[in-house]
Amino acid sequence: MNPLRVIFAGTPQVAVPALRAVHNSVHSVVAVLTKPDARAGRGRTLRPSAISQAAHELHLPVRTTHSLIDSTSEIAELIDREQVDVVAVVAYGLLVPPALLDLPRFGWVNVHFSELPRWRGAAPVQHAIANGDESISVTTFRIEAGLDTGPVLMRSPRIPIEPREDSGRLLERLAPIGAELLVHTLDSLATASVLPVPQAGEGASLAPSLTSDDARIDWAQPVGEVDNRIRGCTPAPGAWTTVDGARLRIGAPVAVHPDTSATPGQLVIDKHSVKVGAQGGFVELGMVQPHGGKQMAAPDWARGLRSANPSAE
């Protein structure tokens, strides 16, 4: 096998296992692309991306940009100068302009956390959980001009989604699987032992980024769908509701309790639990966070309520 010369493009923590795996493989990471430092936390302090931090720990050169479209000539020059064979992409978050797609010998290869063509877009795991999928897989494919429409290189076996799993925890489980699949894909490209397969024309679905509006809970929906929506939006963008006019962020529920007598939005509070009614049952809350306050267990939050008959809306 002739090792490949790789540019790695990624941004959040979920991409770090893949960067480390490629770095530890026979292939050479010649540069890392990531988004610039961004403000985070209560103090809105500028912080480097998780990939930027990992790359510096591995002593890899880092190139940041807000837009590949605006940086096309610089990235093209980098690909040419470093004789790059492939750009490996994991949750990078920037659009790749067509002018760059075919410059590396094997193009831009993306690790996508769904079984394409299902859940094309930026938030496949969130949509899979929110829509009640029972399993998921990881796909590597070659990026083309369409949204996640490029030919598939490899797929992982299907992975069951645990009943109480939220999107953050599932992504943590999928990250090392994606890392292993990426290295296997690079090995197969280097030995010409993988054949790109066009995606099926049927079964495609879209998974755009979830907004804060998407994350507001409608308690009139069936209780199972409410549970799925909250878990799909945890930890980001963060499911929420209002209680007596005050916004409340909701973490992954502890349990679902079927009950045909439940009234949507009804809060049932006792010493050890807080349940909210939906259609056909109650969702038992886990961790919650009042607007401007700290995260806490739902029973601790409920002790501070002033209303005698609070409800969620």
Side-chain angles (χ1 to χ4, degrees):
M1 178 196 305
N2 291 321
L4 303 182
R5 294 178 62 78
V6 182
I7 289 178
F8 187 93
T11 300
Q13 180 62 38
V14 70
V16 171
L19 173 60
R20 295 189 183 278
V22 177
H23 176 70
N24 292 331
S25 73
V26 299
H27 309 290
S28 299
V29 179
V30 299
V32 173
L33 302 178
T34 190
K35 287 185 177 181
D37 296 0
R39 298 193 181 278
R42 290 193 172 218
R44 307 305 295 164
T45 306
L46 275 175
R47 297 179 184 174
S49 71
I51 280 294
S52 181
Q53 295 178 60
H56 285 302
E57 291 172 8
L58 298 172
H59 306 290
L60 298 172
V62 175
R63 178 75 66 89
T64 64
T65 180
H66 289 286
S67 168
L68 287 177
I69 296 173
D70 295 339
S71 305
T72 297
S73 59
E74 293 87 348
I75 301 303
E77 192 276 331
L78 175 65
I79 292 171
D80 180 65
R81 184 180 71 247
E82 296 293 341
Q83 299 181 329
V84 172
D85 295 301
V86 63
V87 181
V89 182
V90 185
Y92 183 29
L94 292 181
L95 179 68
V96 184
L100 294 176
L101 288 175
D102 294 326
L103 294 185
R105 182 158 57 113
F106 296 113
W108 294 57
V109 172
N110 190 49
V111 176
H112 189 77
F113 296 106
S114 82
E115 186 172 4
L116 291 172
R118 186 163 177 80
W119 302 131
R120 292 171 175 167
V125 170
Q126 291 89 334
H127 281 269
I129 292 178
N131 284 273
D133 288 7
E134 296 182 353
S135 62
I136 198 167
S137 67
V138 183
T139 305
T140 54
F141 71 98
R142 182 162 176 171
I143 296 176
E144 60 178 27
L147 176 63
D148 298 338
T149 58
V152 169
L153 297 167
M154 290 188 171
R155 300 184 196 275
S156 75
R158 295 195 66 80
I159 299 122
I161 298 175
E162 301 298 332
R164 306 284 353 121
E165 199 162 33
D166 62 42
S167 63
R169 292 178 181 175
L170 180 53
L171 274 169
E172 287 179 3
R173 282 208 296 134
L174 295 179
I177 296 171
E180 181 179 357
L181 188 70
L182 175 59
V183 172
H184 191 189
T185 300
L186 297 179
D187 291 346
S188 298
L189 288 172
T191 57
S193 57
V194 63
L195 181 65
V197 177
Q199 291 186 37
E202 299 179 354
S205 54
L206 298 181
S209 295
L210 293 173
T211 67
S212 180
D213 288 343
D214 295 324
R216 183 170 188 174
I217 301 306
D218 179 0
W219 300 105
Q221 296 298 309
V223 67
E225 294 181 16
V226 169
D227 176 49
N228 291 340
R229 172 65 57 168
I230 296 172
R231 290 185 296 110
C233 292
T234 302
W240 64 280
T241 188
T242 60
V243 177
D244 290 345
R247 183 162 171 156
L248 181 72
R249 183 165 174 154
I250 306 169
V254 172
V256 171
H257 305 278
D259 188 335
T260 56
S261 69
T263 300
Q266 173 190 7
L267 264 70
V268 177
I269 301 170
D270 60 33
K271 185 176 180 180
H272 301 292
S273 69
V274 177
K275 302 181 185 73
V276 186
Q279 184 187 132
F282 291 92
V283 171
E284 183 176 346
L285 302 184
M287 301 299 289
V288 300
Q289 184 175 6
H291 183 65
K294 296 181 179 180
Q295 189 179 67
M296 64 185 75
D300 295 335
W301 160 78
R303 280 192 283 272
L305 291 176
R306 296 179 180 178
S307 175
N309 296 294
S311 62
E313 297 179 356

